[in-house]
Amino acid sequence: MSTREESARSPAQPFWLRGPFAPVTAEVTTHDLPVVGEVPRELSGTYLRNGPNPKDGPSGHWWFGDGMVHGVHLEGGKARWYRNRYVRSARFHGTDLTPKEGEDARVARARRLRGGGTSNTHVIEHAGRILSMVEAALPMQLDQELSTVGPFDFGGAVDTPMTAHPKRCPRTGELHFIGYQPMPPFLTYYIADAAGRVITKREIEVDGPSFMHDFAITEQYAVFFDSPLRMTRDWGDGMPFAWSDTHTARIGVVPRAGGAVRWFEFEPGYLSHTANAFERDGTIVLTGARSTRFEVPPFLYRWEIHLDSGRTREGAIDERVVDFPRIDDRRTGEPHRYTYVVEMRDFVGGVPTGTVLRRYDAATGGSVAQELGPRQVPGECVFAPRSGDPSEDAGFLLSIVYDGERDGSDLVVLDAKNFGAAPVARVRLPQRVPFGFHGSWVLL
Ligand SMILES: [Fe+2]
């Protein structure tokens, strides 16, 4: 047994280094994967998912492992390949990024941003580029075989960290994103056009940085959540955040086209992840996973702002512990009906053994669970649209599911119109995929 395998089995290890969280060491490429059921022939693209996978074994927090991207390519009714690759950041290479004596602070800062941080949180495609992201640094560009190309700064236009949760506007094809950091400018709002050129860069005035892991767009506005969870120093060892009992939770709304930001106050808490936001009858409706304190389990919540009167409303949609909310991305910024989440329950040693996928229906107010069988633990699900049918939920949901029966992982394909029914396909992956964070369906 290797040292890594021993550590994966040791109960003395923190939860993120053992069991289904434990990192894998091999970078694997496997073609023509076995499938239970049938991969829909119309699914032609690649599912990508990022997550922490500490290269040297240990890491001080689940969030701090080196990024590893897993990809599964589906085409012609077959699972053509699986591959996984470390994101080769400066940190991966062990490059020392600390400022040199007498060095200009801006030069040192730029070098650190270009290092890519852990690059372990999300992976997207925009303007033909695959970008691996973490909110502490610039994205790292990957090629179609998931090899690292290098840092990507949008032709020099981005000189702050970049969120791992950018939003693509389905009407314009623009990529909207933010960068937050512990020195001025604390918050920057960017828009890149469909070709990947930054066309807007605006400082959003705040009185200091807060943990702003996610944000939202609507058809006309960008929406920022400024919370009591304050950023107290730069990223490094440990979490650079502290809860403030005096800082009010507030949501900022700024026209995408330009103009002043307006702030609206809400109950203490913070936005963990956005499901979506949209405008309806002059009201901005934001739905997302909300926590009341740092690292307290989140649940689904709705905030509303009537723009003319300034009246606000908020409340929990459900009491279940859920996170990783996703929608049919073609509805980003527009009214949506379905929100897909990971519901976490039955925690044993930090591992949510009874985890299921759940779909919330805004039209009925109800929800339905997707059971996948005993000892099956799904991660975030990603929507892959059925081409030619623009109706919401016309498509498939993709999720990597840990199979505790064989200590392995499958890519599970669900028909979104039959949520709750048996999967249409389970692609057997050649190795366990550690629990991770976010992913995308890309057409490359
Ligand atoms: Fe996230």
Side-chain angles (χ1 to χ4, degrees), residues 32-312:
D32 298 323
L33 309 168
V35 176
V36 178
E38 285 190 30
V39 174
R41 295 192 72 82
E42 59 212 290
L43 269 182
S44 187
T46 308
Y47 171 78
L48 299 174
R49 205 221 63 192
N50 205 345
N53 197 91
K55 180 175 69 119
D56 299 320
S59 66
H61 190 283
W62 186 31
W63 294 1
F64 288 170
D66 303 282
M68 177 179 275
V69 173
H70 302 259
V72 184
H73 183 66
L74 307 178
E75 189 179 349
K78 302 211 178 313
R80 299 286 185 186
W81 53 255
Y82 161 87
R83 50 166 54 85
N84 66 306
R85 296 291 183 272
Y86 278 104
V87 184
R88 283 165 164 73
S89 62
R91 173 193 156 112
F92 175 91
H93 290 298
T95 307
D96 181 11
L97 296 177
T98 53
K100 297 177 176 44
E101 196 163 328
E103 186 178 28
D104 185 309
R106 284 169 303 180
V107 172
R109 174 89 181 143
R111 189 175 64 245
R112 186 164 165 186
L113 292 178
R114 294 181 65 79
T118 53
S119 206
N120 66 12
T121 309
H122 201 352
V123 55
I124 67 156
E125 177 272 330
H126 185 67
R129 296 182 185 90
I130 299 172
L131 302 175
S132 166
M133 311 156 105
V134 67
E135 68 209 69
L138 287 166
M140 299 294 284
Q141 186 177 346
L142 312 181
D143 68 16
Q144 291 188 31
E145 298 191 328
L146 309 186
S147 299
T148 301
V149 176
F152 182 66
D153 63 1
F154 292 79
V158 177
D159 58 2
T160 66
M162 177 177 173
T163 179
H165 287 289
K167 302 287 177 270
R168 179 156 31 219
C169 173
R171 285 184 302 108
T172 64
E174 294 165 345
L175 193 72
H176 293 241
F177 55 95
I178 58 172
Y180 76 95
Q181 58 184 8
M183 70 285 288
F186 298 122
L187 177 61
T188 308
Y189 171 42
Y190 299 90
I191 306 172
D193 67 13
R197 289 183 297 257
V198 169
I199 55 173
T200 293
K201 178 185 181 187
R202 280 149 48 193
E203 180 179 353
I204 305 296
E205 282 201 31
V206 287
D207 60 4
S210 63
F211 177 62
M212 207 172 283
H213 182 65
D214 209 338
F215 81 116
I217 59 169
T218 70
E219 196 171 325
Q220 298 181 79
Y221 298 96
V223 180
F224 312 107
F225 203 110
D226 184 37
S227 80
L229 188 53
R230 314 304 294 167
M231 188 177 203
T232 53
R233 55 192 162 82
D234 211 347
W235 293 92
D237 294 332
M239 281 294 162
F241 304 108
W243 190 266
S244 165
D245 288 320
T246 56
H247 190 92
T248 308
R250 53 186 202 149
I251 291 177
V253 178
V254 66
R256 285 166 47 165
V261 60
R262 294 174 64 194
W263 292 100
F264 303 87
E265 294 189 358
F266 287 92
E267 291 295 318
Y270 72 92
L271 175 71
S272 167
H273 286 116
T274 302
N276 194 25
F278 57 85
E279 299 154 47
R280 184 172 57 200
D281 303 328
T283 295
I284 288 184
V285 180
L286 168 64
T287 304
R290 170 192 186 250
S291 290
T292 52
R293 287 266 174 174
F294 192 35
E295 297 189 293
V296 167
F299 49 96
L300 205 59
Y301 203 81
R302 185 180 295 124
W303 297 265
E304 296 184 4
I305 300 165
H306 188 258
L307 289 172
D308 280 350
S309 67
R311 274 198 312 272
T312 60

